[in-house]
Amino acid sequence: MSTLPTAAIIGAGSSGIAAAKALHERGLMFDCFEASDRVGGNWVFENKNGVSAAYRDLHINTSRDRMQFSDFPMPRSLPDFPHHTQIAAYFDAYVDHFGFRDRISFETSIERAEQRADGSWRLTDAQGKGRVYDMLVVANGHHWDTRWPEPAFPGADRFEGIQMHAHRYRDNAFLAGKDVVVLGMGNSAMDIAVESSYVAATTQLAARRGAWIVPKYLFGKPLDQVNTLPKIPHWLSGRISEAIVRLHTGRPERYGLPRPDHHFGAAHPTVSGRILDRITHGAIAPRPNIAQLGPDWVQFADGTQVHADVVIYCTGYRITFPFFDEDFLAAPGNRIELYRGAFVPGNASLAFVGLLQPLGAIMPLAEVQGRWIAEYLRGEYHLPSPRAMEAHLRREGARRRRRYVASQRHTIQVDFDTYLYDLRRERRRGAARAAAAGRALPVPARAGRVGEGAPA
Ligand SMILES: Cc1cc2nc3c(=O)[nH]c(=O)nc-3n(C[C@H](O)[C@H](O)[C@H](O)COP(=O)(O)OP(=O)(O)OC[C@H]3O[C@@H](n4cnc5c(N)ncnc54)[C@H](O)[C@@H]3O)c2cc1C
Ligand SMILES: NC(=O)c1ccc[n+]([C@@H]2O[C@H](COP(=O)([O-])OP(=O)(O)OC[C@H]3O[C@@H](n4cnc5c(N)ncnc54)[C@H](OP(=O)(O)O)[C@@H]3O)[C@@H](O)[C@H]2O)c1
């Protein structure tokens, strides 16, 4: 019987498999539960779990070398920005390469996760089967629960055409010959407006706020491989990047897009090598925000009005955990207080993986979080005190609010390099704390409570 605590991981998307691999490698006992019949989450087109946002022509917008796991490079034969099928195949290969597929229970949706008085967890799946673990690792993703405009635009209930969220978009076939309005300035809006522009009669791109649109390549390199140094203050690197983007493409207003109300780096990057091209071809018309809808028209904030058959809301996602009681833990307005994006101060046996919105790819950050959690479960890393974690959270929260545009899309925003750098240092500090405490286990191992045979 292991003297180490047991763990359950919810989700086998790229974050869940990164955590599973780390626990597997460090000899920890765990089960990973996945609602779908395969790994890869969002990257599985028409995923059986019903919540993948992948569209037929989706390519990653963080480059291959930024997205890959550190010890499992993506094949060099892949392009810089692979197609979703190639990304899904890569995650599949990762699981087989490191040999932990047998630790994943497929087609097992966790419906309830309840923490017991002693800190351990009782999980109940959709079939009503219960299991108990010492630690819970949540990797259920944060780009699947759709956020629609709230409140809905006046007249939305009178509109007789199609209103849909970007999450349901698969390809542009149904837009052929239609008058289409796309709302948003994030990456979904860019991709969908471009796809629409090739087949629709008209495509309007409406936005309540401008964005700095960056191309996929700069100086002949994928944009996210142009080096950033964690030591350079973000405002300085932001100004430098803004100057480069302005030299490269000019100001967004030059294309009729709204003027950004923020400097570069104060919003999640909008990456598109194609949108400006389509605007300058007259195939996409930039508009301000939607003001109201009629039965077959949309009026914008500047009073202009167009005929519309389809409105596609590319308005982002909500962070939700349907398996928790809302009173236990929720993220209203996408706000959630997690120490370095992973731990709840005061709750030793709960951690999150991949609940970050990086300026860069999520996967390498989830990979490091997985290693961090494995060290923690083995007693090789100790967290700071809850008070110290709360103080850190307050500082980080204030810093994030100063830095980013106030929007629900920036509540878990981090800088890729800075996050990795800071976590490396924190893991060293926590290792010293653990050594001083004789490597006591922060999560006690409760022998006999391993998975299926566990008492209810
Ligand atoms: C259109 C689109 C494009 C994107 N492009 C990029 C990109 O280029 N680069 C990038 O870094 N990020 C990108 N993202 C962000 C995306 O969130 C990550 O790429 C990645 O999918 C995150 O992986 P994840 O494992 O955290 O979440 P997911 O991929 O959402 O996986 C979560 C998994 O958990 C499972 N699950 C959830 N709840 C339960 C439950 N209760 N029981 C059992 N299983 C459960 C789901 O079935 C799913 O398999 C994109 C997002 C979208 C929507
Ligand atoms: N090719 C790719 O790899 C690809 C493609 C698509 C998406 N993604 C990723 O998927 C994630 C989600 O992207 P997303 O574009 O779907 O969502 P997002 O980044 O959250 O962007 C949502 C957009 O909708 C706007 N918005 C929200 N509520 C609104 C309202 N009520 N009225 C008007 N506008 C509103 C936001 O404006 P504010 O800024 O004012 O809030 C923002 O412009 C991101 O990580 C993104 O990088 C990647």
Side-chain angles (χ1 to χ4, degrees), residues 11 13-15 34-35 41-43 49 60-62 110 141 143 361-363:
S14 52
S15 301
E34 170 51 56
N42 185 55
W43 294 97
N49 66 11
I60 57 171
N61 65 2
T62 51
I110 299 302
H143 288 133
I362 295 182
M363 297 71 199

Side-chain angles (χ1 to χ4, degrees), residues 42-43 55 58-62 142-143 147-151 153 165-167 183-191 206-211 216 261-262 267-271 289-290 313-317 357-358 362 405-410:
N42 185 55
W43 294 97
Y55 27 92
L58 175 67
H59 285 250
I60 57 171
N61 65 2
T62 51
H142 57 92
H143 288 133
R147 174 149 36 80
W148 293 70
E150 281 169 7
F153 291 111
H165 190 277
H167 187 256
L183 176 66
M185 277 303 272
N187 292 305
S188 296
M190 298 301 109
D191 279 359
R208 69 176 174 189
R209 188 197 307 280
K216 277 188 161 166
D261 58 2
H262 54 276
H268 184 66
T270 300
V271 184
N289 202 1
I290 293 176
Y313 296 105
C314 304
T315 42
Y317 294 88
Q357 184 66 73
I362 295 182
V405 166
S407 163
Q408 294 189 16
R409 64 200 289 244
H410 296 138

Side-chain angles (χ1 to χ4, degrees), residues 68-385:
Q68 66 195 1
F69 293 116
S70 67
D71 49 6
F72 190 67
M74 286 197 200
R76 300 295 94 181
S77 56
L78 292 190
D80 283 336
F81 295 97
H83 186 246
H84 63 73
T85 47
Q86 295 169 312
I87 297 298
Y90 167 75
F91 292 140
D92 232 20
Y94 178 78
V95 173
D96 289 332
H97 179 79
F98 291 104
F100 58 91
R101 191 174 289 276
D102 61 341
R103 301 312 317 148
I104 306 173
S105 301
F106 290 100
E107 302 192 78
T108 309
S109 173
I110 299 302
E111 302 294 298
R112 285 190 68 70
E114 296 156 292
Q115 193 165 30
R116 304 173 357 149
D118 64 358
S120 65
W121 289 89
R122 179 175 166 76
L123 305 191
T124 310
D125 69 21
Q127 275 69 47
K129 188 164 166 182
R131 301 168 175 90
V132 174
Y133 297 87
D134 297 318
M135 175 88 183
L136 177 62
V137 179
V138 175
N140 70 325
H142 57 92
H143 288 133
W144 59 270
D145 192 359
T146 54
R147 174 149 36 80
W148 293 70
E150 281 169 7
F153 291 111
D157 53 343
R158 279 183 292 148
F159 186 70
E160 288 167 6
I162 297 173
Q163 294 185 80
M164 61 185 282
H165 190 277
H167 187 256
R168 293 294 304 276
Y169 177 83
R170 292 292 169 268
D171 59 36
N172 61 8
F174 76 106
L175 300 178
K178 302 269 178 14
D179 291 321
V180 180
V181 176
V182 176
L183 176 66
M185 277 303 272
N187 292 305
S188 296
M190 298 301 109
D191 279 359
I192 293 172
V194 167
E195 290 198 4
S196 167
S197 74
Y198 285 101
V199 297
T202 61
T203 302
Q204 321 286 328
L205 175 64
R208 69 176 174 189
R209 188 197 307 280
W212 293 98
I213 300 172
V214 289
K216 277 188 161 166
Y217 285 86
L218 262 185
F219 310 123
K221 272 178 145 183
L223 180 80
D224 59 6
Q225 289 173 32
V226 177
N227 282 342
T228 56
L229 296 171
K231 291 279 183 191
I232 294 189
H234 67 82
W235 65 266
L236 180 57
S237 56
R239 296 301 187 283
I240 296 169
S241 306
E242 189 172 313
I244 293 170
V245 172
R246 282 170 64 169
L247 275 173
H248 186 270
T249 47
R251 299 193 66 99
E253 308 90 274
R254 145 96 183 69
Y255 300 86
L257 289 160
R259 182 188 180 136
D261 58 2
H262 54 276
H263 282 294
F264 186 94
H268 184 66
T270 300
V271 184
S272 178
R274 300 181 292 166
I275 191 90
L276 299 180
D277 193 43
R278 298 304 291 160
I279 291 173
T280 57
H281 290 188
I284 298 174
R287 300 280 179 179
N289 202 1
I290 293 176
Q292 59 169 319
L293 292 84
D296 61 354
W297 51 264
V298 171
Q299 191 182 73
F300 301 99
D302 60 359
T304 55
Q305 190 170 310
V306 296
H307 176 265
D309 302 300
V310 183
V311 180
I312 308 180
Y313 296 105
C314 304
T315 42
Y317 294 88
R318 302 187 311 136
I319 300 171
T320 47
F321 313 105
F323 37 82
F324 286 148
D325 269 345
E326 283 221 357
D327 295 347
F328 171 72
L329 199 147
N334 279 4
R335 282 185 312 279
I336 182 160
E337 303 278 291
L338 297 176
Y339 177 64
R340 297 184 191 274
F343 287 95
V344 182
N347 192 329
S349 53
L350 174 61
F352 293 77
V353 175
L355 195 43
L356 300 168
Q357 184 66 73
L359 301 168
I362 295 182
M363 297 71 199
L365 307 192
E367 179 184 13
V368 173
Q369 288 183 321
R371 289 199 192 124
W372 181 29
I373 292 167
E375 287 161 9
Y376 173 73
L377 285 170
R378 295 182 60 89
E380 296 164 4
Y381 167 90
H382 277 194
L383 285 164
S385 68

Side-chain angles (χ1 to χ4, degrees), residues 14-37:
S14 52
S15 301
I17 59 173
K21 184 258 187 184
L23 268 55
H24 175 67
E25 205 165 58
R26 299 303 315 280
L28 287 148
M29 291 281 291
F30 71 93
D31 287 316
C32 177
F33 298 105
E34 170 51 56
S36 179
D37 59 349

Side-chain angles (χ1 to χ4, degrees), residues 4-19:
L4 294 171
T6 61
I9 301 171
I10 298 183
S14 52
S15 301
I17 59 173

